[in-house]
Amino acid sequence: MITIHKYVRAQSLEEAYALNQSRRNRIIGGMLWLKMSTLNIATAIDLSGLGLDTIEETDDAFSIGAMVTLRQLEQHQGLNRYMNGAAAEAVSSIVGVQFRNMATVGGSLWGRFGFSDVLTLFLAADSYVELYKGGVVPLAQFAAMKPDRDILVRLIVKKTSASFAYRSMRIQRTDFPVITCAVSRVNDCFCASVGARPHKAILLRDDEGILAGGITEESAAAFASSVAQRCPTGGNLRGSAAYRTHLIRVLVKRAILALGGNA
Amino acid sequence: MMEIRLKLNGKTITDHIDADLLLIDFVRRHGCLSVKRGCETANCGLCTVLMDGKPVLSCSLLAARADGHEIYTLEGLQQEAEAFVGFIADEGADQCGFCNPGYVMNTIALLRENPNPTDDEIRAYLAGNLCRCSGYEGQLRGIRRFLNSRAEGGSHAE
Ligand SMILES: Cc1cc2nc3c(=O)[nH]c(=O)nc-3n(C[C@H](O)[C@H](O)[C@H](O)COP(=O)(O)OP(=O)(O)OC[C@H]3O[C@@H](n4cnc5c(N)ncnc54)[C@H](O)[C@@H]3O)c2cc1C
Ligand code: FES
Ligand code: FES
């Protein structure tokens, strides 16, 4: 249970940042994860009045505010056109529509959760987070950083010549995933991002050029095997390490075939 | 204590609340007893209300965040619900009935957003509403029969 003594809808990022320097205060995004913990919060800092709830598309990039909901990611036509529907696919099994109307991109990335579909998805793209004090940082670098008292302002997804596909496996719809997997071809480089290992998503590139000659059943299977071999997995109540490694082999292959247009 | 002002089922309400009051407790305090606690961990959909027309989980939303917004519960949407709840009941989908208010609220949201959903779209939209008793097929059949009947110009009463 969380107890909150004071609620402030921040008027500026500076105000939110200043309040967030006290360890007794907390930024609230969708509050869905926070609410599951036992916490005594002096001041809850709400970012919902700062206009960070839109996805802006320019010729070069998508700028996704920290308070954008997972449902907005699912429904944004431009983003899904660019990502070949992978954004919608990645979030569509996260609990339900009501939940996705509340859970935010900021809270999802800030948490750097092992199970995160959102982190898995965006690691496979040319993505950056803008931190209020820390500036613009590549998403992979941010994922490896320890949470501090900064504020995630927005996610930036740079547009390149790219295509994407997303696959995940759940024991049951709406449950946490057993494995998540996003693949992409960005400027002719193939890579796979794998999460729910059950650890945080990591990015594995096709450094050996397995897919350089084109996507076929054989090359997709070979790349999937290479990813499965290189990707560390562990066991938890949703599945063993060996099961996850097996799933990686299956899902990466399927996703690569989808990328090549033979889903 | 802090002051909030919001519209609940069309009526403007001003109240003084604790900073951590959840929206579910706020609406129940104001007589909307259809809104119930199921899991309280954002998993079951029972506590669904509409905020600015969008379905959200009132068990996990601060009443403070609803300040300045418009909230609807089943109490304010009886007429909209009446169009289809009979079809769902006829399919035997309500057994203990506990999940029903959340189902009805989210079905209202679904039909507003997508008036002619396919079966898969219905399943996907209602995936966050858990039902302990029915196995979900009854709800799906009921909504499908409602949609078919509406397409033919009928209503449940006929
Ligand atoms: C029951 C349940 C099931 C879930 N299932 C899945 C799933 O299957 N797949 C999946 O990917 N995710 C899943 N999630 C995670 C969910 O999608 C969100 O990622 C999570 O709830 C965090 O988002 P939030 O907006 O609720 O953040 P909050 O709970 O509000 O915040 C989370 C943390 O981030 C901090 N924070 C929030 N916003 C910012 C910001 N802008 N700057 C700095 N710090 C910030 C908060 O202080 C807090 O520490 C699940 C969560 C729950 C509760
Ligand atoms: S009581 Fe709110 S989702 Fe279950
Ligand atoms: S009818 Fe009993 S929970 Fe749905």
Side-chain angles (χ1 to χ4, degrees):
Chain A
M1 207 184 112
I2 57 170
T3 311
I4 297 171
H5 297 277
K6 193 174 167 205
Y7 165 94
V8 171
R9 203 175 282 183
Q11 299 299 309
S12 65
L13 278 167
E14 184 52 43
E15 181 193 7
Y17 180 82
L19 282 169
N20 200 36
Q21 297 321 295
S22 161
R23 294 173 66 86
R24 300 185 58 228
N25 300 346
R26 249 335 177 41
I27 304 276
I28 52 166
M31 210 181 80
L32 296 158
W33 191 258
L34 269 178
K35 184 169 171 285
M36 308 252 284
S37 46
T38 304
L39 269 180
N40 193 344
I41 299 175
T43 299
I45 311 156
D46 188 349
L47 306 180
S48 69
L50 299 176
L52 297 175
D53 57 351
T54 57
I55 302 178
E56 279 157 31
E57 181 176 2
T58 63
D59 288 346
D60 312 320
F62 293 93
S63 168
I64 303 173
M67 293 301 286
V68 163
T69 65
L70 303 189
R71 183 78 176 147
Q72 283 172 273
L73 289 183
E74 187 177 0
Q75 294 191 309
H76 195 273
Q77 287 187 358
L79 183 66
N80 280 293
R81 207 175 304 119
Y82 174 66
M83 300 196 90
N84 315 99
E89 175 68 29
V91 300
S92 64
S93 295
I94 303 180
V95 191
V97 169
Q98 304 98 309
F99 184 98
R100 299 196 295 278
N101 273 331
M102 301 169 72
T104 63
V105 170
S108 296
L109 294 176
W110 190 265
R112 286 159 264 219
F113 304 113
F115 54 74
S116 181
D117 289 284
V118 182
L119 182 60
T120 306
L121 170 75
F122 288 114
L123 271 182
D126 189 12
S127 306
Y128 304 78
V129 293
E130 182 184 324
L131 304 169
Y132 182 63
K133 284 290 162 183
V136 175
V137 176
L139 181 60
Q141 188 183 325
F142 172 77
M145 282 160 53
K146 284 224 161 65
D148 55 15
R149 312 300 306 178
D150 210 341
I151 294 177
L152 196 158
V153 180
R154 59 178 59 86
L155 167 71
I156 298 158
V157 181
K158 288 202 182 150
K159 285 186 186 170
T160 50
S161 162
S163 49
F164 300 87
Y166 193 89
R167 294 290 183 273
S168 67
M169 162 73 192
R170 284 170 162 77
I171 294 171
Q172 183 174 306
R173 191 174 199 165
T174 82
D175 190 13
F176 287 100
V178 186
I179 206 83
T180 58
C181 152
V183 300
S184 63
R185 169 200 236 151
V186 175
N187 297 328
D188 275 331
C189 290
F190 288 92
C191 62
S193 153
V194 182
R197 307 176 288 113
H199 311 295
K200 226 173 350 196
I202 52 167
L203 192 67
L204 297 152
R205 292 173 211 284
D206 181 19
D207 293 329
E208 301 154 80
I210 300 171
L211 296 165
I215 296 175
T216 60
E217 278 280 324
E218 292 71 33
S219 65
F223 178 62
S225 279
S226 154
V227 172
Q229 257 169 27
R230 287 184 283 153
C231 186
T233 53
N236 67 1
L237 56 85
R238 285 186 174 72
S240 64
Y243 179 50
R244 285 191 158 92
T245 298
H246 176 74
L247 287 176
I248 293 171
R249 203 169 278 123
V250 173
L251 294 188
V252 169
K253 180 181 170 197
R254 285 186 191 165
I256 289 289
L257 287 174
L259 207 60
N262 350 304
Chain B
M1 291 291 252
M2 57 183 288
E3 186 179 287
I4 62 165
R5 193 179 153 87
L6 53 77
K7 261 190 166 174
L8 178 59
N9 293 325
K11 226 174 84 189
T12 301
I13 293 181
T14 306
D15 200 353
H16 287 85
I17 60 160
D18 286 328
D20 52 7
L21 182 72
L22 295 168
L23 185 60
I24 187 171
D25 294 315
F26 178 86
V27 298
R28 286 181 63 86
R29 190 198 277 181
H30 288 277
C32 300
L33 300 180
S34 70
V35 188
K36 294 188 184 67
R37 276 193 160 73
C39 65
E40 245 204 304
T41 55
N43 268 298
C44 76
L46 179 57
C47 62
T48 302
V49 303
L50 303 187
M51 177 153 121
D52 301 333
K54 292 197 179 113
V56 293
L57 303 168
S58 63
C59 74
S60 300
L61 193 88
L62 291 178
R65 187 170 267 174
D67 183 22
H69 294 271
E70 185 171 54
I71 305 295
Y72 270 93
T73 70
L74 194 49
E75 281 79 1
L77 297 171
Q78 289 295 331
Q79 243 185 331
E80 208 167 331
E82 263 166 32
F84 62 83
V85 289
F87 289 92
I88 295 178
D90 285 353
E91 293 297 326
D94 292 314
Q95 292 184 27
C96 78
F98 193 62
C99 63
N100 178 281
Y103 252 102
V104 174
M105 288 302 293
N106 209 28
T107 304
I108 287 175
L110 160 69
L111 296 176
R112 284 184 183 183
E113 209 174 299
N114 182 0
N116 285 303
T118 62
D119 284 1
D120 274 349
E121 286 168 344
I122 298 171
R123 285 193 190 96
Y125 206 97
L126 299 180
N129 288 84
L130 302 187
C131 172
R132 174 67 181 81
C133 313
S134 72
Y136 305 103
E137 284 302 310
Q139 280 95 345
L140 179 65
R141 281 198 310 270
I143 296 171
R144 177 54 48 211
R145 280 200 44 216
F146 160 68
L147 294 170
N148 292 346
S149 155
R150 196 186 56 185
E152 289 157 15
S155 72
H156 187 252
E158 282 162 358

